[in-house]
Structure formats: structure tokens, C-alpha cells
Amino acid sequence: MAALPRPLSPWAKRFGHNVSYRPEVLPGPEIHSGIAPLAPRLNPKYYAETPPIEPGPLTDKELDSLFLSEKIQREYQMGLYTWQAGPLMRYVRFSDKTGLISGGHMSADAVEQGAVPRLTLPMDLSHQIFLSERIQVDDSKWFDFLRSDRWYDKGLLNDEVDDENWSISNPDVWRHLSVTMELLDRMVKALIADRHQMMETVLYGVIFPWSHMPGKAGQPEPYKGCKYIVSRQWLQTNYFDQTGQPNNWDFIGEFTSDDWTARLEYLMRDATLAFIERFFSENATWGVTFSQYDGMICLDVGGYRRLRSPDITLAERCLLHHTTALVLLHEIFHSITVARRQETGWPKDVMPINYLPDAKLTSEPWRVCGKQIVEDDGVAEMGHAADKRIIGGSAMMATVNTDGMPIGSIIYEHPKPWIQAPEYRGVNVGNVIPDNAAFQAGRMFHIYQVPALYTSKLLSQEFWDDPATPRKSDNFFHNNRIINSDTLWEGELAGWDHKIAEISTNLPAQLDPGEKEVMEVWEERRRDWEQRRAGWYDDAKIIWDMTPWSKIKARQTIIRFQKAFAQKDEIICRDLGMVLVYQMPWNSDRDHFIEFLPPYNQNHRWIFYCIGLLALASIPISDKEMETPREVMTYKFKPCVWAPNLQDVELSARLAPNDIKVDKSAIFDPLGRPGKDDIENFDHHDYLQLISSTIQAVESLGDGIPAPWLVEIAKALDSIRRQRLDRPQKNTWLDEWPFEIPEYNPYDILMYENGNWVAK
């Protein structure tokens, strides 16, 4: 009899579960979101309230669940614990007249039926304030490329049917989308009015291939097809000031705001927009630009499904409008880049700004466009480069996925510094300059937690009418960034942990209305949590952090491997096994390998390396590269009824929903046969022998190790050896994957003394 499906926890119902980049790791009878607060617990909607007193966790299992959940929160919410979200979502504000309004996350905000938020005001007066004091939509004033005659209805994948009428001609869709588009239009106009350097760069920046890039002569190309786009200001500082030559592109500074507007409209003259859902089965892609169809911009419907929900709060509404506007702004820069790559209309008697002799559409139309490096960035990603310069970083929802409500909004400084680390081996992180300063130890990774209060400011008519701030785009659209979790990157050996979000130590002299109150409730909650957890939390957390149980990505990888093994998915199993194995530099020399063992390194990487070897010994050995089977996936787009001049379009690609490529099976032996060359003619027992030699090396170094993990590894090692006696063939699977993550027990430590393991 088939097992009954596990029910969703209350938090999983509201915020999603097992989403992309946040795989399941918490066990239990319910499916968990992974972000629910524990000790004390909070309501998934009214999490700004002060909860009742709860006793602290008493068992090791409860402590492990608490710390595991909080580490997931810090990992996927970039330093923000979920219990800290309450103060961030506590207030919104639209004018001096009405002042601060509750964001909807107090139970007192609910109407009796619980359908519409009442923000500490009679019935739905708060929503009426939002409607009357937010920016008012006037699509007749929008840029041409944003208007309704550029829109397609939702793109349908293969034989999908749109049961929800995702079209801007649907009044229920338009009343939400139009607010986002109004904000977007105003932001783009502000960039032009303020002559923002990033807008000038994308419109008029000089595009060079590596061979023509000033200062790069004779240097090896970091990757094939490397290209740059640079501003005239950058050229002045980095080339003309040094050579004493006149700047050939100074004439660009003479263009007026009207010239900028005309050029933007020209470059976007054929651009279109559309809805899409779960881009190639992905639920963490909020927007994407296709290089086909002149930079067609697609926006995921997930955020608007949330906006149409009767259960949404006003704070969540503001966050969704703000973040989706930023997503579209990001994609517009990609779309402009598509046009720049194909531009043929630049006057022939004017100094050229495009040095791309091979300018053409990519042969992979589903790939995000914008593969020029902007000036001194470390990654070729135009949208993120624009984000960094315009709003201070790239925007994301704290829950990442498009299928759940937001619990916060984050702006982080792209690129993430750790994408060169072993945990990200094989991850597609784009075209990277590895020696760029962004990836070096000592970089401060800037992360800002965005209060709902700020998003409501940008949505208010008062902000756009305020003569005291004539330049709207200054200071990243006047974002004071009062809460941050800036984290110092110390390099791959040090590991990575986002700093816990806190009030900034560099506050402006003049705060915006309401920011003082946000910081007051932030501090009030921080003190409350400290008092509730006094006497047990800090000491227990220090102990847990020092154990293998604290390595959440490795734990997630083990769980994912277990599920893939049950399905006999060879590609995913081999990929995950290698992710675990590359916790250690197994293709290096002996001395470097030993640097990662205790007592020299206490990150427990060797434990997960051994588990990775167990994984590889359990699956077939193959002498062929493998990749996820690709199928033809076709999106079909029909024009909205308001766009009579658009034609039906189809976009087809042979693409895997989870595109994974793995090399042929390989083995290295850093302790026995060190070197960068893999070993030929090996079998499953050679993987197992590597585990034994690694444990022997740990024994010889004489440090204490966690007994539960050693016991589980030893049990699995013995089981696989016995199973392989009956399955010696290289192309065979084992019947069962014998490894289980042990229950948390931080005090069971073993030392190797006089030929025996003894309790420490």
C-alpha cells in the first residue's frame, strides 16, 4: 500500500517548500518550509506579534532542529532570521497625512473573516489609503515599450493550458500589474532625468572584445568570447588620463535627456513583454530575457498570483510590487543589450561605440542575454551590473521562490564571493573572472534587508511629488539601508556564514519618517529573544556550530542523494557524490590534502568527502560523460487582445529542466598516489580504500572526531563492501544506500590512542 502524502506545515503552505536552492532537510511527519521559527514559534502570517513564553529545547534532537532551521534561514535569507522579519514587515507609510500603518502582520489587523488585512484601522480603511495615496496609474505617459500593445499573454509550455487567464486584458491581472509598471516607468524616467551613469553606459557605453579592450593587450583571455562595455568616464580614468590623449567619446556627454529617451525608445522599439510560469520548471526565476524576438522580457506569474490572493497583507503587497518592478528593470537592461549587439543604425560619421565584429544572436535563445562585463566587474551579467549601480545590489525575495509569499526583501551586492568555492563546483555561475577582487579573501559582501516601509515609500505619490528630493535615483533611490548583514569573505578555507542581520552602524544623519520606529521594534524583539533564550541558547549554539551537523548544504546533499538513489538516477547521484567528494581537494598533493584534515581544519570536510566516496561506490562506474536527457520544450505566446500588431511566436529549445552534466567516473588518491592525474583501471573497492586511508590519516593526526559520524561511515563502509561481493561489476547499482545522518550528539567524541578508538 502506497504511503500517504505528508501534509504541509502551516509555514510551508504560506511560503513554499523544497524550492529551488532550498531543498528539504528537516525531517518529520509534516513537510516543512525550512524557514519557520522555533523556540519560540510564530504564526506564519502574524509573525510581528510577541508570542507566548515557551520553555527552551531540552533534547539534543530539538536543539538540532532549532539550529538547523535557523542556519537555513541565515543561508537562504542572507543573514536574516525569520523571527527578525516581524520588525521589517511591521510598518508601511504613504504620506505625512496618514502616517505609519501596520503592515498586516499583527492579529489585530485581521477582519473577522480574515480575508482582508485591517491595519489597526477600521475594517479595510488601510487598503483604501493604499489605493488613494499610492502612485496613480497613467499608462498613456509610459514609455512605448512598456505599454499594453507590447504584451503577450502567458507563454504556454508544450501542451499547457492557461486556466487562470494570465493576460493583461484580464482586469484582475491588470489592476495589479499596472501598479508595478507605473513604478517601473517612473524609475526608468528618473534614471534618465538624473543622467545616471549606468543608464548612460547601457545606452552609449563602448563595447570592446577582449582583443580591443584598453589595458588588456597581451593578456590571456579569461574565457572564450570575453567582452566589455565601459562608460566614457571609465575610459577617461583608466585610459585617457594615463596616455594624455583626448577622450574620443566626450561627445556623449553633450546628449540631452531627450536624446537619451529617444535612444532608449529606439533600442527597445521591437521589445515585447509576456507572462511565463516556472521557467523550464524552475521556481526561483522571477524574470528572464530571450535573445530571440528582440529581447523579449518574460515575467513569472507567481508574484501576481500572490498579489491576487485574498490573504495577502499590505506589507507583502508593497514588497511584491517593488521587487517585481526591480526584476523588470533588471531585464530591461538585458533587453537593451540584445539591441546593442545587433545595432546597425549608429551614424557612420560619429565615433563608433560597438567594436563587435561578430555581433549576432546567440545560438542558445533561451539563455539570458547581456554577456558583456561592465567595467571592473567580475562576472559578465548586465542585469546584475545595473542592479549594483542603480539600487545597490541585486534584489531577491527572502523566500527565493515564486510560489510563496515574501517574508522580506533583500538587496545583495552581486556577485556572491563564494561561487569559486568547492561547494559550487559545477554550478553555472556565468562567465567569471576568477582573479577579480570580488572573489578574493577580504572582500566585504554587502547585504541590505529592505523594510516594507521603504518599499511603501517608493510606491507613494508623496515621494514622487516631493520637491525636497528632485533627483529620485540618488542614494540608490533614497534607500537608507538601516538594516544590513554585511559579511567579510575570508576565503574558502574559512567557510561561509552570513553575518546576522543588525541595525547599520553607519546610519544617515537624517532618517526617513518611520525608520526610527522600525529600529525600535527591531531592538525590542532582539532583546525579547535574548531574554527568552538566556541561559541555554548561546552555549548550545556554539557547540552545535562546531559539529558536522551544522553543515547544512552537505546535509541537504546527502538527503538529495538518498532520494536520487531510490530513483536510480545515475546523473544526479554521480553529480551529488562529486559535490561531496570535492569538499576535499582530492586531486591535489598530499600536504595540501592534509591541510583540510583535523586538527589543521575543523570544518569536518573530510567526513563529507568520505560520504561522497560511499556514494560513488554505490552507483555504477562509467567511462562516459553524461548529461540530463534533453527534450524539446516549446513556449507558445499569443498576443494580448490589446496588441493587434504582434504575431504569435514560439520559442523552442532542447533543454533539461535541471540541466546537469557530469564527467566520466574518476578517482584520485592524494594520500597514496598524489597528483592531478586521475587513476585508470579502478573499481568500487578503490573508492572504499580511499575512505580507509583517510580515516587512518585522521587517526595518525590524533585529534578527536565525532563518534556518531565515524560509526555511520564505518557501518556503511562495511555494508557496501558486503553488497559489492555480490555486485562486483562496474555498471551495477547497490540494492540499498546504507548511510543515515546520525542523530545529534555533540558530546560523543572519539580519540585514536594506542591502536584503539577511545571516548574522549
Side-chain angles (χ1 to χ4, degrees), residues 175-228:
R175 70 188 180 95
H176 299 297
L177 176 69
S178 61
V179 177
T180 303
M181 300 300 288
E182 179 70 29
L183 176 59
L184 173 66
D185 182 76
R186 290 172 183 240
M187 294 182 77
V188 177
K189 283 186 169 72
L191 294 174
I192 292 175
D194 300 342
R195 304 181 66 80
H196 196 287
Q197 186 169 324
M198 185 62 214
M199 181 59 79
E200 179 182 314
T201 301
V202 75
L203 294 178
Y204 299 107
V206 187
I207 303 176
F208 292 108
W210 178 266
S211 58
H212 290 66
M213 182 66 179
K216 304 298 183 184
Q219 298 182 29
E221 193 174 31
Y223 58 84
K224 186 178 180 180
C226 179
K227 300 175 181 69
Y228 279 82

Side-chain angles (χ1 to χ4, degrees), residues 269-289:
R269 65 194 180 279
D270 295 319
T272 55
L273 302 104
F275 285 117
I276 204 167
E277 183 167 17
R278 285 176 167 260
F279 174 61
F280 289 119
S281 301
E282 175 63 73
N283 64 354
T285 301
W286 285 77
V288 65
T289 298

